[in-house]
Amino acid sequence: MARRKKKKKSRGLLYTLLVVVLACLSYEPLTRALHVDPVRSLPAGNIPAAPAALKEGDYLLPAPLKSIPEKILVRRGYTVSYNMEHNLPNWVAWELTPEKLVERESRTDKFLPDPDLPEEKAVTTDDYKRSGWDRGHMCPAADNRWHWRAMQESFYMTNICPQHHNLNRGDWKELEDACRDWAAKEGKIYIVCGPILYNQKHKTIGREHRITVPEAFFKVILCPGSTPPKAIGFLYKNTAGNHPLDSYVNSVDQVERITGIDFFPALPDEVEERVEAEYDLSLWPME
């Protein structure tokens, strides 16, 4: 009897080891099979669930544009909808978190033609020389110091617009600084910004490539993790100015009406309607 128990015990141990080995071998293929890559997603990942607001796995890029040329380019730190007719981004979208505020990389200041465009179509920094306009970042270099590739790609010319020097170094920069404060406090925010072209004859610059000079710029910001979720919009004329932040505040709805862009379409309708209608800067305190 003692010998049979020992044999039965050994056989049970063998079965257990076999099950463990099979589980280990099947784990990686199983997880790989279950993983689904989103077709249109911000590079940094999905949005955490917020009470009565977002479903896990939603990605908050603007809706596809209608009757406007766009080429979607996904970068390490942002996604851009690029308009090859005007040689400008239609919009640039990115996620900003406290982890991305860690300054691991120095600013490169090396503006580069976009390697994903045909060489003959890619704007270069020479197109801006002696134009009188700054090479204005849409997704700021300072939001991309967390990774060397993110920093490098922030200087691709598809992320750049002709911007008034005073605006670029002044009020626009103040909003960029405010966004970093909000990301540090809120934990995660989503930002979309870009140029505004009014229905008029536009100025252009460029040596080899004609670049349209925007008449204005927009920026919209969503904080899905706050309770309740909140959003706010800003509009800036592409001119000199020195005004407080509340001079530029607008609702996301108003920015949508002006740009024709549908921001944050993945939000549930009732949440989208509420957050895009409000524009209360007091909900966005700064240091």
Side-chain angles (χ1 to χ4, degrees), residues 211-227:
I211 305 165
T212 301
V213 177
E215 286 78 45
F217 292 93
F218 71 86
K219 183 168 283 188
V220 295
I221 300 138
L222 170 72
C223 180
S226 64
T227 306

Side-chain angles (χ1 to χ4, degrees), residues 176-194:
E176 292 174 341
D177 292 340
C179 287
R180 285 187 280 275
D181 284 344
W182 294 330
K185 292 176 181 178
E186 300 289 354
K188 180 178 291 188
I189 61 174
Y190 286 82
I191 305 169
V192 188
C193 76

Side-chain angles (χ1 to χ4, degrees), residues 17-60:
L17 289 172
L18 184 59
V19 169
V20 171
V21 170
L22 288 174
C24 291
L25 289 174
S26 63
Y27 176 77
E28 186 177 357
L30 179 61
T31 54
R32 199 181 296 140
L34 291 174
H35 178 71
V36 179
D37 290 323
V39 176
R40 288 173 55 84
S41 66
L42 287 171
N46 60 350
I47 298 170
L54 300 174
K55 298 175 183 178
E56 186 176 356
D58 281 340
Y59 294 83
L60 299 185

Side-chain angles (χ1 to χ4, degrees), residues 162-220:
Q163 197 166 44
H164 193 285
H165 176 80
N166 178 271
L167 176 62
N168 185 31
R169 310 298 173 89
D171 290 0
W172 186 255
K173 182 180 181 299
E174 289 177 8
L175 178 56
E176 292 174 341
D177 292 340
C179 287
R180 285 187 280 275
D181 284 344
W182 294 330
K185 292 176 181 178
E186 300 289 354
K188 180 178 291 188
I189 61 174
Y190 286 82
I191 305 169
V192 188
C193 76
I196 297 173
L197 303 180
Y198 295 143
N199 187 20
Q200 64 182 53
K201 185 176 180 180
H202 310 295
K203 295 178 182 177
T204 61
I205 63 170
R207 292 184 174 184
E208 296 184 18
H209 310 89
R210 303 311 293 172
I211 305 165
T212 301
V213 177
E215 286 78 45
F217 292 93
F218 71 86
K219 183 168 283 188
V220 295

Side-chain angles (χ1 to χ4, degrees), residues 1-282:
M1 290 295 293
R3 189 176 301 166
R4 274 191 210 146
K5 283 184 181 179
K6 186 174 182 181
K7 186 175 181 181
K8 192 172 183 181
K9 187 176 180 180
S10 300
R11 190 178 301 167
L13 179 60
L14 181 62
Y15 288 157
T16 302
L17 289 172
L18 184 59
V19 169
V20 171
V21 170
L22 288 174
C24 291
L25 289 174
S26 63
Y27 176 77
E28 186 177 357
L30 179 61
T31 54
R32 199 181 296 140
L34 291 174
H35 178 71
V36 179
D37 290 323
V39 176
R40 288 173 55 84
S41 66
L42 287 171
N46 60 350
I47 298 170
L54 300 174
K55 298 175 183 178
E56 186 176 356
D58 281 340
Y59 294 83
L60 299 185
L61 290 185
L65 300 177
K66 299 175 181 178
S67 305
I68 298 176
E70 72 169 340
K71 181 178 178 65
I72 302 297
L73 302 166
V74 180
R75 305 302 181 205
R76 182 84 183 202
Y78 63 91
T79 298
V80 56
S81 162
Y82 191 68
N83 188 323
M84 296 183 69
E85 179 181 319
H86 291 287
N87 286 316
L88 292 173
N90 296 307
W91 52 257
V92 180
W94 68 101
E95 172 197 74
L96 196 56
T97 65
E99 293 75 21
K100 291 183 178 179
L101 300 177
V102 177
E103 299 183 357
R104 295 190 178 95
E105 301 294 328
S106 299
R107 182 183 171 99
T108 66
D109 280 324
K110 186 177 181 181
F111 291 88
L112 300 167
D114 195 307
D116 287 340
L117 298 184
E119 186 175 349
E120 68 278 7
K121 298 285 187 181
V123 169
T124 72
T125 190
D126 287 342
D127 291 309
Y128 279 73
K129 283 185 177 178
R130 290 186 286 278
S131 69
W133 297 91
D134 276 13
R135 296 162 295 186
H137 283 75
M138 294 297 94
C139 180
D143 288 7
N144 289 277
R145 298 183 70 171
W146 52 279
H147 192 278
W148 69 268
R149 184 173 292 280
M151 171 59 69
Q152 180 189 66
E153 292 177 344
S154 74
F155 282 87
Y156 283 178
M157 298 302 292
T158 44
N159 183 43
I160 304 299
C161 290
Q163 197 166 44
H164 193 285
H165 176 80
N166 178 271
L167 176 62
N168 185 31
R169 310 298 173 89
D171 290 0
W172 186 255
K173 182 180 181 299
E174 289 177 8
L175 178 56
E176 292 174 341
D177 292 340
C179 287
R180 285 187 280 275
D181 284 344
W182 294 330
K185 292 176 181 178
E186 300 289 354
K188 180 178 291 188
I189 61 174
Y190 286 82
I191 305 169
V192 188
C193 76
I196 297 173
L197 303 180
Y198 295 143
N199 187 20
Q200 64 182 53
K201 185 176 180 180
H202 310 295
K203 295 178 182 177
T204 61
I205 63 170
R207 292 184 174 184
E208 296 184 18
H209 310 89
R210 303 311 293 172
I211 305 165
T212 301
V213 177
E215 286 78 45
F217 292 93
F218 71 86
K219 183 168 283 188
V220 295
I221 300 138
L222 170 72
C223 180
S226 64
T227 306
K230 59 186 177 181
I232 196 166
F234 297 87
L235 294 169
Y236 290 76
K237 291 182 179 179
N238 195 9
T239 58
N242 184 18
H243 306 289
L245 194 58
D246 59 8
S247 302
Y248 303 104
V249 171
N250 281 266
S251 67
V252 175
D253 278 339
Q254 177 66 3
V255 179
E256 287 186 333
R257 281 191 288 271
I258 291 172
T259 62
I261 300 172
D262 179 12
F263 301 107
F264 315 128
L267 285 170
D269 290 343
E270 67 278 7
V271 177
E272 184 179 6
E273 289 174 7
R274 182 181 60 78
V275 301
E276 292 188 355
E278 65 187 17
Y279 51 101
D280 187 352
L281 191 58
S282 68

